[in-house]
């Protein structure tokens, strides 16, 4: 397993920090991509941050009221080694399905 | 200069195709099961160990080990001088490759995704592909450009494109795509020891599939590492494919067998130059052919394959060569890619059209 750290992104134009309002996930929880992780407040607005990826939450940084600087760690995920950092999703291997049947009279000359 | 780069590395690349050492069946100590990711990673590790002039670089290739883990652990093992991160600037990645190749290195750059190659087209087409020709052979370009390619992983725009026809059209470039872990290991080791630029198209939807890799020997049947490979023998029709479509065609062949149709699957492997002899040899026997690719239909490589087959097999063909391909639209995101990439039923339909073709 590999750990992937997600730092607090710049949530506006040149914002330098945000304040945690409420964590919507907790360590040990499995989250999906785009699932809301945390509500934070900046000098411009309060926003929910969607998860950049799927994975198990290992650590979260800051409780309600704590300030976090842009670029500092916000959350750490644990993911399988071979999917760490991937863009997109690993295709599922499924049994082949068909609707089309072949029919032919083959002359073997 | 080019000789010094290749010295000592050719042997590893060439020996894989050498079938003179007979190994008893069932006792293959060199065969291990690994994913295509692991096979590519191992090949790169060995290339770095064999050739001190080999260097790997690209976006996230160094510390992270690549978004697909292909270069995982290589920076720690071989050092940040030889495996390193670049800025997000593909024109710079390929421009730097030109300079490194001129200076006697063997650059193995990565363009993180197919669609990111477009900003580097000038460096690839106007510099890398031509420098050897332009300099009358004094400035060879031993550049092995790895491009995670094709679709199938539900990624956003620019992450699912098939550029083989674009690259194959450029004189001076070679283009190759592996279809399974074994091919990935050997073709990458072969490509990375060539004195010429090779575009190495990795089928990203197959990265996680595991398969047996015989690291000692590439083609047990004695085939050439520059040739196509029959992945399944059949009598009635040849499916021609490359990259991720080979696995799908093998599935189709199994299903067709249920209907009494015996399909041969030819993995083209090299998309430039194409192994015209292998195409001819296969279709002369089966007398029918369908070519399958993910790229759009119009001016896709399927047209080239169809012409090569027609040229060599015109008198024996029972039907025009059929093409089953992506559509003439930008590569679609999300679930729509299931409609875009040739699926089992579309390939079966293509086969049926060939089977029921009547002359005159």
């Amino acid at each position: 397993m590999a750990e992937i750290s997600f730092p607090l992104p710049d949530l506006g134009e040149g914002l330098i920090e945000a304040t945690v309002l409420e964590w919507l996930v907790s360590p040990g929880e499995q989250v999906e991509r785009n699932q809301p992780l945390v509500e934070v407040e900046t000098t411009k607005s309060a926003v929910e941050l969607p998860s950049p990826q799927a994975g198990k939450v290992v650590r979260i940084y800051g409780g309600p009221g704590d300030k976090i600087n842009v670029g500092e760690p916000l959350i750490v995920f644990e993911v399988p080694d071979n999917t760490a950092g991937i863009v997109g999703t690993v295709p599922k291997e499924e049994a082949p399905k068909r609707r089309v049947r072949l029919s032919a009279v083959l002359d073997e000359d | 200069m080019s000789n010094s780069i290749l010295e000592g590395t050719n042997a590893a690349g060439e020996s894989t195709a050498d079938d003179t050492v007979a190994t008893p069946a069932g006792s293959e100590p060199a065969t291990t099961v690994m994913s295509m990711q692991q096979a590519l990673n191992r090949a790169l590790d060995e290339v770095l160990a064999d050739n001190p002039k080999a260097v790997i670089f690209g976006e996230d290739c160094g510390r992270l080990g690549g978004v697909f883990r292909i270069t995982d652990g290589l920076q720690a093992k071989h050092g940040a001088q030889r495996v390193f991160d670049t800025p997000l600037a593909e024109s710079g990645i390929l421009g730097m490759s030109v300079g490194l190749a001129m200076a006697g290195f063997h650059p193995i750059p990565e363009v993180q995704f197919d669609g990111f190659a477009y900003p580097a087209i000038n460096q690839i087409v106007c510099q890398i592909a031509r420098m050897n020709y332009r300099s009358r052979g004094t400035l060879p370009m031993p550049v092995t450009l790895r491009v995670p390619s094709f679709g199938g992983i539900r990624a956003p725009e620019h992450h699912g494109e098939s550029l083989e026809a674009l690259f194959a059209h450029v004189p001076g470039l070679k283009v190759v795509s592996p279809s399974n872990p074994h091919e990935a290991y050997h073709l990458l080791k072969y490509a990375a020891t060539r004195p010429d630029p090779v575009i190495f198209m990795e089928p990203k939807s197959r990265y996680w599939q595991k398969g047996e890799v015989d690291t000692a020997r590439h083609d047990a049947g004695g085939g050439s590492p520059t040739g196509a490979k029959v992945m399944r023998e059949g009598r009635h029709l040849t499916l021609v494919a490359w990259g991720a479509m080979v696995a799908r065609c093998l599935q189709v062949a199994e299903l067709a067998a249920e209907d009494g149709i015996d399909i041969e699957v030819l993995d083209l492997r090299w998309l430039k130059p194409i192994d015209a002899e292998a195409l001819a040899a296969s279709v002369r026997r089966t007398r029918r052919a369908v070519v399958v690719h993910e790229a759009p239909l119009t001016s896709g490589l399927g047209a080239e394959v169809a012409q090569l087959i027609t040229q060599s097999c015109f008198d024996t063909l029972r039907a025009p060569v059929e093409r089953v391909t992506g559509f003439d639209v930008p590569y679609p995101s999300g679930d729509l890619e299931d409609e875009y990439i040739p699926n089992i039923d579309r390939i079966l339909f293509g086969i049926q059209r060939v089977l029921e073709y009547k002359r005159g």
Side-chain angles (χ1 to χ4, degrees):
Chain A
M1 302 298 269
E3 289 194 355
I4 301 269
S5 177
F6 177 59
L8 180 69
D10 181 351
L11 300 168
E13 289 174 3
L15 293 176
I16 55 167
E17 63 178 18
T19 305
V20 174
L21 293 179
E22 184 187 5
W23 275 100
L24 308 171
V25 297
S26 40
E29 195 175 325
Q30 178 72 30
V31 299
E32 297 304 319
R33 191 170 177 213
N34 291 329
Q35 180 179 336
L37 292 176
V38 60
E39 192 180 9
V40 297
E41 184 175 40
T42 68
T43 51
K44 288 189 177 176
S45 62
V47 289
E48 276 184 1
L49 297 187
S51 181
Q53 63 179 87
K56 189 172 143 188
V57 178
V58 181
R59 281 186 295 282
I60 57 176
Y61 292 88
D66 289 343
K67 280 188 166 47
I68 295 181
N69 293 323
V70 168
E72 285 183 357
L74 181 68
I75 188 167
V76 174
F77 303 98
E78 185 180 78
V79 297
D81 282 331
N82 65 352
T83 62
I86 182 199
V87 176
T89 56
V90 178
K92 288 191 180 71
E93 200 62 4
E94 291 170 348
K97 278 186 277 213
R98 71 182 302 183
R99 286 180 296 177
V100 177
R101 288 274 160 193
L102 300 175
S103 64
V105 182
L106 295 165
D107 47 357
E108 298 287 344
D109 55 69
Chain B
M1 182 170 59
S2 63
N3 285 341
S4 68
I5 296 166
L6 293 168
E7 210 168 349
T9 57
N10 262 350
E14 306 285 356
S15 66
T16 58
D18 189 348
D19 196 36
T20 51
V21 184
T23 314
S27 62
E28 302 262 22
T31 299
T32 46
V33 173
M34 57 179 96
S35 67
M36 187 182 286
Q37 288 173 318
Q38 292 167 322
L40 292 165
N41 182 264
R42 178 159 172 180
L44 289 174
D45 185 18
E46 292 174 9
V47 166
L48 286 171
D50 289 346
N51 183 358
K53 291 292 189 183
V55 284
I56 291 173
F57 48 93
E59 295 159 9
D60 298 317
C61 278
R63 204 170 66 143
L64 180 71
V67 288
F68 292 109
R69 324 312 293 169
I70 308 303
T71 54
D72 196 27
L74 298 181
Q75 187 181 65
K77 183 170 176 184
H78 299 279
Q81 296 275 318
R82 300 188 64 201
V83 182
F84 51 93
D85 292 317
T86 65
L88 305 187
E90 288 76 13
S91 56
I93 294 170
L94 275 301
M96 186 165 67
S97 301
V98 176
L100 281 166
M102 279 181 169
F105 287 89
H106 189 127
I108 308 176
E110 176 187 287
V111 164
Q112 196 166 60
F113 284 91
D114 35 69
F116 302 179
Y118 297 123
I121 287 294
N122 182 57
Q123 282 70 24
I124 298 169
V125 175
C126 298
Q127 309 296 340
I128 291 173
R130 296 183 191 183
M131 196 61 78
N132 191 47
Y133 171 86
R134 186 185 288 150
S135 67
R136 296 190 185 187
T138 58
L139 292 171
M141 287 281 120
V143 178
T144 311
L145 172 58
R146 292 182 41 250
V147 188
S149 293
F150 314 118
I153 66 160
R154 295 285 192 274
E157 196 190 355
H158 305 308
H159 295 66
E161 307 190 11
S162 304
L163 306 184
E164 65 269 28
L166 200 69
F167 290 132
H169 195 62
V170 178
L173 297 181
K174 291 185 167 70
V175 185
V176 65
S177 184
S179 61
N180 62 40
H182 179 76
E183 294 300 324
Y185 172 82
H186 287 288
L187 289 173
L188 183 53
K189 284 199 77 173
Y190 183 81
T193 51
R194 295 304 94 193
D196 298 314
V198 179
I199 311 295
F200 193 86
M201 300 179 68
E202 299 170 4
K204 63 177 89 78
S205 68
R206 305 297 300 172
Y207 272 147
W208 300 272
Q209 297 307 313
K210 290 192 163 69
E212 285 196 353
V213 178
D214 180 350
T215 54
R217 208 166 49 167
H218 189 181
D219 291 321
S224 162
T226 60
K229 188 171 187 173
V230 175
M231 305 301 270
R232 182 191 201 277
E233 292 187 346
R235 292 176 295 136
H236 296 142
L237 184 144
T238 301
L239 279 177
V240 184
W242 50 90
M245 287 298 98
V246 173
R248 184 151 297 171
C249 286
L250 287 167
Q251 285 182 326
V252 167
E254 291 299 313
L255 296 171
E258 295 172 3
D259 303 334
I261 308 298
D262 193 13
I263 303 260
E264 178 146 309
V265 177
L266 185 70
D267 179 359
L268 211 51
R269 300 203 292 198
W270 290 87
L271 310 174
K272 175 77 171 289
I274 292 176
D275 186 352
E277 284 179 23
L279 278 175
S282 176
V283 181
R284 266 192 211 113
R285 280 188 290 104
T286 61
R287 297 171 297 170
R288 299 171 184 88
V290 174
V291 54
V292 180
H293 61 64
E294 296 184 37
L297 175 76
T298 302
S299 296
L301 213 63
E304 186 71 24
V305 170
Q307 160 58 12
L308 289 168
I309 293 170
T310 306
Q311 187 80 41
S312 58
C313 304
F314 185 69
D315 292 334
T316 45
L317 273 175
R318 290 306 177 95
V321 178
E322 192 72 34
R323 291 179 285 170
V324 180
T325 70
F327 299 104
D328 286 355
V329 297
Y331 189 83
S333 306
D335 292 351
L336 271 177
E337 72 179 1
D338 290 343
E339 308 302 321
Y340 176 89
I341 299 175
N343 60 28
I344 285 170
D345 283 331
R346 281 178 59 204
I347 299 170
L348 285 168
F349 266 127
I351 293 170
Q352 180 63 33
R353 283 195 294 273
V354 169
L355 291 176
E356 66 189 25
Y357 179 82
K358 292 272 185 287
R359 280 177 193 271

